[in-house]
Amino acid sequence: MNSPDKLIPPPLRNDCFAMPQGAYWTPVADALDHLRTHLRPVTGTETVPLHQAAGRILATPVIARRSHPPQANSAVDGYGFAGPAPVGAQHMPLVMGRAAAGQPFDGSVPHGQAIRILTGASLPQGVDTVVLQEDVTTDGTTLAFHGPLKSGANARKAGEDMLAGAEILPALHRLTAADLATIAATGGGMVTVRARLRVGILSTGDELIAAGDPAKASQIYDANRPMLCATVAAWGHEVVDLGRAPDRPDALRTIMNDAANRCDAILTSGGASAGEEDHMSTLLKDTGSFALWRMAVKPGRPLALGLWRDTPVFGLPGNPVAAQVCALIFARPALSLLAGGNWLTPQAFQVPAAFDKSKKAGRREYLRARISNGQAEVFPSEGSGRISGLSWATGLVELPDEALHVSYGDPVRFLPFSSFDL
Ligand code: AMP
Ligand code: MG
């Protein structure tokens, strides 16, 4: 039977990556706008137990099943009574018994009397105010303390945090550890989330060899695949490691056919330009959905986009630094939309530059950077082959498309890698 839970949205349209003609260099902002307006969820939904829901994307809002706290209770260890208590010395007879968390006092406390109460205990009938145990003296039958104490002091009201029936988390939100507490506290045990987006990661290039394998001098270790697999996993998607493809159209075609069956989206690296060894671009050209976006961004060359058998393909540059920057800037928000989540914009911070630099107009630049003494220092080399700079950095400095001279101490935009969920 076809349950609505299992319904999968229709595939993307063939022209979803088509850019308006004319623009040769595509500004980053235009590319992001395009992705934002043309991509939509491609996954179905499923209902999972709360303890398996961290990192998953809510398909429907979460409604509080009950209020939090469910009943008025004590915020401290102390003595409960009916408030307020006026200014001056107070003496109250103590009711026999006590109220503790999970061990409510069933009777009622007469006006003018008090009862021993512990943190988290439901307030017994007749109690709305608690005096801290540190502020009293008692002989076990009478309580003495100094007023004034306002009604409701040291007590939590029923529903003061969340009310039964209220929306506590919106759809499209990706669940954090804290969200699991929020849902659990209001009685939720299952959540309806998007099925995980299966993201294939494929490296392309005849020169590539797997990490750890013996290599000829002319071979290059595949650095992109471990990096992109880990990156995509950190974003909460299901990683499908598609291995390496040689620069041979027939082999690439076979790999892509298999990948389209197993993946909801495919990230490839390498072979994405318009040269004779750029087989990913060549392959996608035949699909009628191909678009080569010449991004006005450094580092980065063209992004090759297209649908392979209805599966969106993001052809990232082969260069590891460019591949990672393009993944963070373009693929992250795009994959989030495909996965049924929100469009994601990384949180940026203005920090003083610990460097001098001039840049020309026309390209947005991302510099590998880290914070030192409250200032953003940048990796000494901008060479995009310098993989070590990615490890050195804790984030990126983003310089705008316009021409700019940055002097030491000028504010610049710093995007920590944590702003990209890494
Ligand atoms: P391409 O975009 O295929 O022309 O590759 C650009 C540069 O990135 C070349 O120097 C490639 O050897 C290098 N490259 C491509 N893919 C990878 C990879 N998976 N790991 C490390 N370097 C790569
Ligand atoms: Mg290549």
Side-chain angles (χ1 to χ4, degrees), residues 74-152:
S74 179
V76 297
D77 287 350
Y79 295 84
F81 57 93
V87 177
Q90 309 294 318
H91 294 85
M92 292 181 184
L94 277 176
V95 169
M96 289 290 288
R98 59 164 212 167
Q103 298 167 29
F105 178 77
D106 286 334
S108 103
V109 176
H111 198 86
Q113 299 190 22
I115 186 171
R116 175 71 169 142
I117 191 164
L118 299 173
T119 305
S122 299
L123 299 186
Q125 236 176 34
V127 172
D128 64 6
T129 303
V130 181
V131 58
L132 239 72
Q133 69 184 19
E134 290 83 348
D135 293 345
V136 307
T137 49
T138 177
D139 58 5
T141 54
T142 304
L143 185 71
F145 64 94
H146 289 288
L149 215 62
K150 282 190 208 145
S151 258

Side-chain angles (χ1 to χ4, degrees), residues 204-205 207 247 271:
T204 71
E207 74 280 28
D247 285 324

Side-chain angles (χ1 to χ4, degrees), residues 203-204 207-208 220-224 269-272 278 301 317-320:
S203 292
T204 71
E207 74 280 28
L208 298 180
I220 298 289
Y221 282 116
D222 178 1
N224 289 346
S269 64
D278 287 317
R301 283 192 314 183
N319 206 301

